[in-house]
Coordinates of all heavy atoms in Angstrom, one line a residue:
P237 N -8.0 -19.7 -38.0 CA -8.8 -20.7 -37.4 C -8.2 -21.1 -36.0 O -7.0 -21.5 -36.0 CB -8.9 -21.9 -38.3 CG -7.9 -21.5 -39.5 CD -7.5 -20.1 -39.4
H238 N -8.9 -21.1 -35.0 CA -8.5 -21.5 -33.6 C -8.6 -23.0 -33.4 O -9.5 -23.6 -34.0 CB -9.3 -20.7 -32.6 CG -9.0 -19.3 -32.5 ND1 -7.9 -18.7 -32.1 CD2 -9.8 -18.2 -32.9 CE1 -7.9 -17.4 -32.2 NE2 -9.1 -17.1 -32.7
N239 N -7.8 -23.5 -32.6 CA -7.8 -24.9 -32.3 C -9.1 -25.1 -31.4 O -9.2 -24.3 -30.4 CB -6.5 -25.2 -31.5 CG -6.4 -26.7 -31.2 OD1 -7.4 -27.4 -31.1 ND2 -5.2 -27.2 -31.0
A240 N -9.9 -26.0 -31.7 CA -11.1 -26.3 -30.9 C -10.8 -26.6 -29.4 O -11.5 -26.2 -28.5 CB -11.8 -27.4 -31.5
A241 N -9.6 -27.2 -29.2 CA -9.3 -27.5 -27.8 C -9.0 -26.3 -27.0 O -9.3 -26.2 -25.8 CB -8.0 -28.4 -27.7
C242 N -8.5 -25.2 -27.6 CA -8.3 -23.9 -26.9 C -9.6 -23.2 -26.6 O -9.6 -22.4 -25.7 CB -7.4 -23.1 -27.7 SG -5.8 -23.7 -28.0
Q243 N -10.6 -23.5 -27.3 CA -11.9 -22.8 -27.0 C -12.7 -23.4 -25.9 O -13.6 -22.8 -25.4 CB -12.7 -22.8 -28.3 CG -12.0 -21.9 -29.4 CD -12.8 -22.0 -30.7 OE1 -13.8 -22.7 -30.9 NE2 -12.3 -21.3 -31.7
N244 N -12.4 -24.7 -25.5 CA -13.2 -25.4 -24.5 C -12.6 -24.9 -23.2 O -11.5 -25.3 -22.8 CB -13.0 -26.8 -24.7 CG -13.8 -27.6 -23.6 OD1 -14.5 -27.0 -22.8 ND2 -13.8 -28.9 -23.7
T245 N -13.4 -24.2 -22.4 CA -13.0 -23.7 -21.1 C -13.8 -24.3 -20.0 O -13.6 -23.9 -18.8 CB -13.2 -22.1 -21.0 OG1 -14.6 -21.9 -21.2 CG2 -12.4 -21.4 -22.0
S246 N -14.5 -25.4 -20.2 CA -15.3 -26.0 -19.2 C -14.4 -26.7 -18.1 O -14.9 -26.9 -17.0 CB -16.2 -27.0 -19.8 OG -15.5 -28.0 -20.4
N247 N -13.2 -27.0 -18.5 CA -12.3 -27.7 -17.5 C -11.5 -26.7 -16.6 O -10.8 -27.1 -15.7 CB -11.4 -28.7 -18.1 CG -10.5 -28.1 -19.2 OD1 -10.8 -27.0 -19.7 ND2 -9.4 -28.7 -19.5
L248 N -11.6 -25.4 -16.9 CA -10.9 -24.5 -16.1 C -11.6 -24.2 -14.8 O -12.9 -24.3 -14.8 CB -10.8 -23.1 -16.9 CG -10.0 -23.2 -18.2 CD1 -10.1 -21.8 -18.9 CD2 -8.6 -23.5 -17.9
P249 N -10.9 -23.9 -13.7 CA -11.6 -23.6 -12.5 C -12.4 -22.3 -12.5 O -12.0 -21.4 -13.2 CB -10.4 -23.4 -11.5 CG -9.2 -23.2 -12.3 CD -9.4 -23.8 -13.6
K250 N -13.5 -22.3 -11.9 CA -14.4 -21.2 -11.9 C -14.0 -20.2 -10.9 O -13.5 -20.4 -9.8 CB -15.8 -21.6 -11.6 CG -16.4 -22.7 -12.4 CD -16.7 -22.1 -13.8 CE -17.4 -23.2 -14.7 NZ -17.0 -23.1 -16.1
M251 N -14.0 -18.9 -11.3 CA -13.6 -17.8 -10.5 C -14.8 -17.3 -9.6 O -15.9 -17.5 -10.1 CB -13.0 -16.6 -11.3 CG -11.7 -17.0 -12.0 SD -10.8 -15.5 -12.5 CE -10.5 -14.7 -10.9
S252 N -14.5 -16.9 -8.5 CA -15.5 -16.3 -7.6 C -16.2 -15.1 -8.3 O -15.6 -14.4 -9.0 CB -14.9 -15.9 -6.3 OG -15.9 -15.2 -5.5
E253 N -17.4 -14.9 -7.9 CA -18.1 -13.8 -8.4 C -17.6 -12.4 -7.9 O -17.7 -11.4 -8.5 CB -19.6 -13.9 -8.2 CG -20.3 -15.0 -9.0 CD -20.2 -14.8 -10.5 OE1 -20.4 -13.7 -11.0 OE2 -19.9 -15.8 -11.2
E254 N -17.1 -12.5 -6.6 CA -16.6 -11.3 -6.0 C -15.2 -10.9 -6.5 O -14.4 -11.8 -6.9 CB -16.5 -11.6 -4.5 CG -17.8 -11.8 -3.8 CD -17.5 -12.0 -2.2 OE1 -16.6 -11.4 -1.7 OE2 -18.4 -12.6 -1.7
E255 N -15.0 -9.7 -6.5 CA -13.7 -9.1 -7.0 C -12.7 -9.4 -5.8 O -13.0 -9.2 -4.7 CB -13.8 -7.6 -7.2 CG -14.5 -7.2 -8.5 CD -13.8 -7.7 -9.8 OE1 -12.5 -7.4 -9.8 OE2 -14.4 -8.2 -10.7
P256 N -11.5 -9.7 -6.2 CA -10.5 -9.9 -5.1 C -10.2 -8.6 -4.4 O -10.2 -7.5 -5.1 CB -9.3 -10.5 -5.8 CG -9.5 -10.2 -7.3 CD -11.0 -10.0 -7.5
V257 N -9.8 -8.6 -3.2 CA -9.6 -7.4 -2.4 C -8.1 -7.3 -2.1 O -7.5 -8.3 -1.6 CB -10.4 -7.4 -1.1 CG1 -10.0 -6.2 -0.3 CG2 -11.8 -7.4 -1.4
D258 N -7.4 -6.2 -2.5 CA -6.0 -6.1 -2.2 C -5.9 -5.7 -0.7 O -6.3 -4.7 -0.2 CB -5.5 -4.9 -3.0 CG -4.0 -4.7 -2.9 OD1 -3.4 -5.4 -2.1 OD2 -3.5 -3.8 -3.5
P259 N -5.1 -6.6 0.0 CA -5.0 -6.4 1.5 C -4.0 -5.3 1.8 O -4.0 -4.8 2.9 CB -4.6 -7.7 2.0 CG -3.8 -8.3 0.9 CD -4.6 -7.9 -0.4
L260 N -3.2 -4.9 0.9 CA -2.1 -3.9 1.2 C -2.5 -2.5 1.7 O -2.0 -2.1 2.7 CB -1.1 -3.7 0.0 CG 0.1 -2.9 0.2 CD1 1.0 -3.5 1.4 CD2 0.9 -2.8 -1.1
P261 N -3.5 -1.9 1.2 CA -4.0 -0.7 1.7 C -4.4 -0.7 3.2 O -4.0 0.1 4.0 CB -5.1 -0.2 0.9 CG -4.9 -0.9 -0.4 CD -4.3 -2.2 -0.1
Q262 N -5.1 -1.8 3.6 CA -5.5 -1.9 5.0 C -4.3 -2.2 5.9 O -4.2 -1.7 7.0 CB -6.6 -3.0 5.2 CG -7.1 -3.1 6.6 CD -7.8 -1.8 7.0 OE1 -8.6 -1.2 6.3 NE2 -7.5 -1.3 8.2
I263 N -3.4 -3.1 5.4 CA -2.2 -3.4 6.2 C -1.4 -2.1 6.4 O -0.9 -1.9 7.5 CB -1.4 -4.4 5.5 CG1 -2.1 -5.8 5.5 CG2 0.0 -4.6 6.1 CD1 -1.4 -6.9 4.6
R264 N -1.2 -1.3 5.3 CA -0.5 -0.1 5.5 C -1.2 0.9 6.5 O -0.5 1.5 7.3 CB -0.3 0.6 4.1 CG 0.8 0.1 3.3 CD 1.0 0.8 2.2 NE 2.4 0.7 1.6 CZ 2.8 1.0 0.5 NH1 2.0 1.7 -0.3 NH2 4.0 0.8 0.1
K265 N -2.5 0.9 6.4 CA -3.2 1.8 7.3 C -3.1 1.3 8.8 O -2.8 2.1 9.7 CB -4.7 1.8 7.0 CG -5.6 2.6 7.8 CD -7.0 2.6 7.3 CE -7.9 3.5 8.2 NZ -9.3 3.4 7.8
D266 N -3.1 0.0 9.0 CA -2.9 -0.6 10.3 C -1.5 -0.3 10.8 O -1.2 0.0 12.0 CB -3.2 -2.0 10.3 CG -4.7 -2.4 10.1 OD1 -5.5 -1.4 10.2 OD2 -5.0 -3.5 9.8
C267 N -0.5 -0.4 9.9 CA 0.9 -0.2 10.3 C 1.2 1.3 10.5 O 2.2 1.6 11.3 CB 1.8 -0.7 9.1 SG 2.0 -2.5 9.2
M268 N 0.4 2.2 10.0 CA 0.7 3.6 10.3 C 0.6 3.9 11.8 O 1.3 4.7 12.3 CB -0.3 4.5 9.5 CG -0.1 5.9 9.6 SD 1.4 6.5 8.8 CE 0.9 6.4 7.1
K269 N -0.2 3.1 12.5 CA -0.2 3.3 14.0 C 1.0 2.9 14.7 O 1.2 3.4 15.8 CB -1.4 2.4 14.5 CG -2.8 2.7 13.9 CD -3.8 1.7 14.3 CE -5.1 1.9 13.6 NZ -6.0 0.8 13.6
S270 N 1.9 2.1 14.1 CA 3.1 1.8 14.7 C 4.2 2.7 14.3 O 5.4 2.5 14.7 CB 3.5 0.3 14.3 OG 3.8 0.3 13.0
C271 N 3.9 3.8 13.7 CA 4.9 4.8 13.2 C 4.5 6.2 13.6 O 4.6 7.2 12.8 CB 5.0 4.8 11.7 SG 5.5 3.2 11.0
P272 N 4.2 6.4 15.0 CA 3.7 7.8 15.3 C 4.8 8.8 15.2 O 4.5 10.0 14.9 CB 3.3 7.5 16.8 CG 4.1 6.4 17.2 CD 4.2 5.5 16.0
A273 N 6.0 8.5 15.4 CA 7.1 9.5 15.3 C 7.3 10.0 13.9 O 7.3 11.2 13.6 CB 8.4 9.0 15.8
A274 N 7.4 9.0 12.9 CA 7.5 9.3 11.5 C 6.3 10.1 11.0 O 6.5 11.1 10.3 CB 7.8 8.1 10.7
K275 N 5.1 9.7 11.3 CA 3.9 10.4 11.0 C 3.9 11.8 11.5 O 3.5 12.8 10.8 CB 2.7 9.6 11.4 CG 1.4 10.2 10.9 CD 0.2 9.4 11.3 CE -1.1 10.0 10.8 NZ -2.2 9.4 11.3
G276 N 4.3 12.0 12.8 CA 4.2 13.3 13.4 C 5.2 14.2 12.8 O 4.9 15.4 12.5
D277 N 6.4 13.7 12.4 CA 7.4 14.5 11.7 C 6.9 15.0 10.4 O 7.1 16.1 10.0 CB 8.7 13.8 11.6 CG 9.5 13.5 12.9 OD1 9.1 14.1 13.9 OD2 10.4 12.7 12.9
Y278 N 6.3 14.1 9.7 CA 5.7 14.4 8.3 C 4.6 15.4 8.4 O 4.6 16.4 7.7 CB 5.2 13.1 7.6 CG 4.6 13.4 6.3 CD1 5.3 13.9 5.2 CD2 3.2 13.2 6.1 CE1 4.7 14.2 4.0 CE2 2.6 13.4 4.9 CZ 3.4 13.9 3.8 OH 2.8 14.2 2.7
E279 N 3.7 15.2 9.4 CA 2.6 16.2 9.5 C 3.1 17.6 10.0 O 2.6 18.6 9.6 CB 1.6 15.6 10.6 CG 0.8 14.5 10.0 CD -0.1 13.8 10.9 OE1 0.0 14.0 12.2 OE2 -0.9 13.0 10.4
A280 N 4.1 17.5 10.8 CA 4.8 18.9 11.3 C 5.4 19.6 10.1 O 5.3 20.8 10.0 CB 5.8 18.6 12.4
C281 N 6.0 18.8 9.2 CA 6.6 19.4 8.0 C 5.5 20.0 7.1 O 5.6 21.1 6.6 CB 7.4 18.4 7.2 SG 8.1 19.0 5.7
I282 N 4.4 19.2 6.9 CA 3.3 19.8 6.1 C 2.8 21.1 6.7 O 2.6 22.0 5.9 CB 2.2 18.7 6.1 CG1 2.6 17.5 5.4 CG2 0.9 19.3 5.5 CD1 2.7 17.6 3.9
K283 N 2.7 21.1 8.0 CA 2.2 22.4 8.6 C 3.1 23.5 8.4 O 2.7 24.7 8.0 CB 2.0 22.1 10.1 CG 1.3 23.2 10.9 CD 1.1 22.9 12.3 CE 0.5 24.1 13.0 NZ 0.2 23.8 14.4
R284 N 4.5 23.3 8.6 CA 5.5 24.3 8.3 C 5.3 24.8 6.8 O 5.4 26.0 6.6 CB 6.9 23.8 8.5 CG 7.2 23.7 9.9 CD 8.7 23.5 10.1 NE 9.3 22.3 9.4 CZ 9.3 21.1 9.8 NH1 8.8 20.7 11.0 NH2 9.8 20.2 9.0
I285 N 5.2 23.9 5.9 CA 5.1 24.3 4.5 C 3.9 25.1 4.2 O 3.9 26.0 3.5 CB 5.1 23.0 3.6 CG1 6.4 22.2 3.8 CG2 4.9 23.3 2.1 CD1 7.7 22.9 3.5
E286 N 2.8 24.7 4.8 CA 1.5 25.5 4.7 C 1.7 26.9 5.2 O 1.2 27.8 4.6 CB 0.4 24.8 5.3 CG -0.1 23.5 4.5 CD -1.1 22.7 5.3 OE1 -1.4 23.0 6.5 OE2 -1.6 21.7 4.7
E287 N 2.4 27.0 6.3 CA 2.6 28.3 6.9 C 3.5 29.2 6.1 O 3.3 30.4 5.9 CB 3.1 28.2 8.3 CG 2.1 27.6 9.3 CD 2.7 27.3 10.6 OE1 3.9 27.4 10.8 OE2 1.9 26.9 11.5
R288 N 4.6 28.6 5.6 CA 5.6 29.4 4.8 C 5.2 29.5 3.4 O 5.6 30.5 2.7 CB 7.0 28.7 4.9 CG 7.6 28.8 6.2 CD 9.1 28.4 6.1 NE 9.2 27.1 5.6 CZ 10.2 26.3 5.7 NH1 11.3 26.8 6.3 NH2 10.3 25.1 5.1
G289 N 4.5 28.5 2.8 CA 4.2 28.5 1.4 C 5.3 28.1 0.5 O 5.3 28.3 -0.7
D290 N 6.4 27.5 1.1 CA 7.5 27.1 0.2 C 8.2 25.9 0.8 O 8.2 25.7 2.0 CB 8.5 28.3 0.2 CG 9.7 28.0 -0.6 OD1 9.5 27.4 -1.7 OD2 10.9 28.4 -0.3
G291 N 8.7 25.0 -0.1 CA 9.4 23.8 0.4 C 8.7 22.6 0.0 O 7.6 22.6 -0.6
D292 N 9.2 21.4 0.5 CA 8.6 20.2 0.4 C 8.9 19.3 1.5 O 9.8 19.6 2.3 CB 8.8 19.5 -1.0 CG 10.3 19.0 -1.1 OD1 10.7 18.1 -0.2 OD2 11.0 19.5 -2.0
C293 N 8.1 18.2 1.6 CA 8.3 17.3 2.8 C 8.7 15.9 2.3 O 8.4 14.9 2.9 CB 7.1 17.2 3.6 SG 6.6 18.8 4.4
E294 N 9.3 15.8 1.1 CA 9.7 14.6 0.5 C 10.4 13.6 1.4 O 10.1 12.4 1.5 CB 10.4 14.8 -0.8 CG 10.6 13.5 -1.6 CD 11.3 13.8 -3.0 OE1 11.2 14.9 -3.5 OE2 11.9 12.9 -3.5
A295 N 11.4 14.2 2.0 CA 12.3 13.3 2.9 C 11.5 12.7 4.1 O 11.6 11.5 4.4 CB 13.5 14.1 3.4
W296 N 10.6 13.5 4.7 CA 9.8 13.1 5.8 C 8.7 12.1 5.3 O 8.5 11.1 6.0 CB 9.1 14.3 6.5 CG 10.1 15.1 7.3 CD1 10.4 15.0 8.6 CD2 10.9 16.2 6.7 NE1 11.4 15.9 8.9 CE2 11.7 16.7 7.8 CE3 11.0 16.8 5.5 CZ2 12.6 17.8 7.6 CZ3 11.9 17.9 5.3 CH2 12.6 18.3 6.4
Y297 N 8.2 12.3 4.1 CA 7.3 11.3 3.6 C 7.9 10.0 3.4 O 7.3 9.0 3.7 CB 6.7 11.9 2.3 CG 5.7 11.0 1.6 CD1 4.4 10.8 2.1 CD2 6.1 10.3 0.4 CE1 3.5 10.0 1.4 CE2 5.2 9.4 -0.2 CZ 3.9 9.3 0.3 OH 3.0 8.5 -0.3
F298 N 9.1 10.0 2.8 CA 9.8 8.7 2.5 C 10.2 8.0 3.9 O 10.2 6.8 3.9 CB 10.9 8.8 1.6 CG 10.4 9.0 0.1 CD1 10.6 10.2 -0.6 CD2 9.8 7.9 -0.5 CE1 10.2 10.3 -1.9 CE2 9.3 8.0 -1.8 CZ 9.5 9.2 -2.5
D299 N 10.5 8.8 4.9 CA 10.9 8.2 6.1 C 9.6 7.5 6.7 O 9.7 6.4 7.3 CB 11.3 9.3 7.2 CG 12.7 9.8 6.9 OD1 13.5 9.1 6.1 OD2 13.1 10.8 7.4
M300 N 8.5 8.2 6.6 CA 7.2 7.6 7.1 C 6.9 6.3 6.3 O 6.5 5.3 6.9 CB 6.0 8.6 6.9 CG 4.7 8.2 7.5 SD 3.4 9.4 7.3 CE 3.3 9.5 5.5
L301 N 7.0 6.3 4.9 CA 6.7 5.2 4.2 C 7.7 4.0 4.5 O 7.3 2.9 4.6 CB 6.9 5.5 2.6 CG 5.7 6.2 2.0 CD1 5.9 6.3 0.5 CD2 4.4 5.5 2.2
H302 N 8.9 4.3 4.8 CA 9.9 3.3 5.2 C 9.4 2.6 6.4 O 9.5 1.4 6.5 CB 11.3 3.9 5.3 CG 12.3 2.9 5.8 ND1 12.8 2.0 5.0 CD2 12.8 2.7 7.0 CE1 13.7 1.2 5.6 NE2 13.7 1.7 6.9
C303 N 9.0 3.3 7.4 CA 8.5 2.8 8.7 C 7.3 1.9 8.4 O 7.2 0.8 8.9 CB 8.1 3.9 9.6 SG 7.5 3.4 11.2
V304 N 6.4 2.4 7.6 CA 5.1 1.6 7.3 C 5.4 0.4 6.6 O 4.9 -0.7 6.9 CB 4.1 2.5 6.5 CG1 3.0 1.7 6.0 CG2 3.6 3.7 7.4
D305 N 6.3 0.5 5.5 CA 6.7 -0.7 4.8 C 7.4 -1.7 5.6 O 7.3 -2.9 5.4 CB 7.4 -0.3 3.5 CG 6.6 0.3 2.5 OD1 5.3 0.2 2.6 OD2 7.1 0.9 1.5
K306 N 8.2 -1.3 6.5 CA 9.0 -2.2 7.4 C 8.0 -3.0 8.2 O 8.2 -4.2 8.4 CB 9.9 -1.4 8.3 CG 10.9 -2.3 9.1 CD 11.9 -1.4 9.8 CE 12.8 -2.2 10.6 NZ 13.8 -1.4 11.4
C307 N 7.0 -2.4 8.7 CA 5.9 -3.1 9.4 C 5.1 -4.0 8.6 O 4.7 -5.1 8.9 CB 5.0 -2.1 10.1 SG 3.4 -2.7 10.7
A308 N 4.7 -3.5 7.3 CA 3.8 -4.2 6.4 C 4.5 -5.4 5.8 O 3.8 -6.4 5.4 CB 3.3 -3.3 5.3
A309 N 5.7 -5.4 5.5 CA 6.4 -6.4 4.7 C 6.2 -7.8 5.2 O 5.8 -8.7 4.5 CB 7.9 -6.1 4.5
P310 N 6.4 -8.1 6.5 CA 6.2 -9.5 7.0 C 4.8 -9.9 7.0 O 4.5 -11.1 6.7 CB 6.7 -9.4 8.4 CG 6.9 -8.1 8.8 CD 7.0 -7.3 7.6
K311 N 3.8 -8.9 7.1 CA 2.4 -9.3 7.0 C 2.0 -9.7 5.6 O 1.2 -10.6 5.4 CB 1.6 -8.1 7.5 CG 1.8 -7.8 9.0 CD 1.1 -6.6 9.5 CE 1.6 -6.4 10.9 NZ 0.8 -5.6 11.7
V312 N 2.5 -8.9 4.6 CA 2.2 -9.2 3.2 C 2.9 -10.5 2.9 O 2.3 -11.4 2.2 CB 2.7 -8.1 2.3 CG1 2.6 -8.5 0.9 CG2 1.9 -6.8 2.6
S313 N 4.1 -10.7 3.3 CA 4.8 -12.0 3.0 C 4.1 -13.2 3.5 O 4.0 -14.2 2.9 CB 6.3 -11.9 3.6 OG 6.9 -13.1 3.3
K314 N 3.6 -13.1 4.7 CA 2.8 -14.2 5.3 C 1.6 -14.5 4.5 O 1.2 -15.7 4.3 CB 2.4 -13.8 6.7 CG 2.1 -14.9 7.6 CD 1.6 -14.5 9.0 CE 2.8 -13.9 9.8 NZ 2.5 -13.6 11.2
L315 N 1.0 -13.5 3.8 CA -0.2 -13.8 3.0 C 0.2 -14.5 1.7 O -0.7 -15.2 1.1 CB -0.9 -12.5 2.6 CG -1.6 -11.7 3.8 CD1 -2.1 -10.4 3.3 CD2 -2.7 -12.5 4.3
L316 N 1.4 -14.2 1.2 CA 1.8 -14.8 -0.1 C 2.3 -16.3 0.0 O 2.5 -16.9 -0.9 CB 2.9 -14.0 -0.7 CG 2.5 -12.5 -1.0 CD1 3.7 -11.7 -1.5 CD2 1.4 -12.5 -2.0
K317 N 2.5 -16.7 1.2 CA 3.0 -18.1 1.4 C 1.9 -19.1 1.3 O 0.8 -18.9 1.5 CB 3.7 -18.3 2.8 CG 5.0 -17.5 2.8 CD 5.7 -17.8 4.1 CE 7.0 -17.0 4.1 NZ 7.7 -17.1 5.4

């Protein structure tokens, strides 16, 4: 048996009908523009791998992500305040 007080939800705030939108993907996309060197290095690595058919670009990928996250972090932090 549940407590009747727990079943009454009329005093809870109503949620919007719209689904919340995660701003991080758009922020990261916008920040990619501020990382042309890292993105270029990663894309050059991908091209080399496609031509040779061997290897990986993990280090270049993480360098690119580091650049993007460095740009995105203060923007996300501002949204959380």
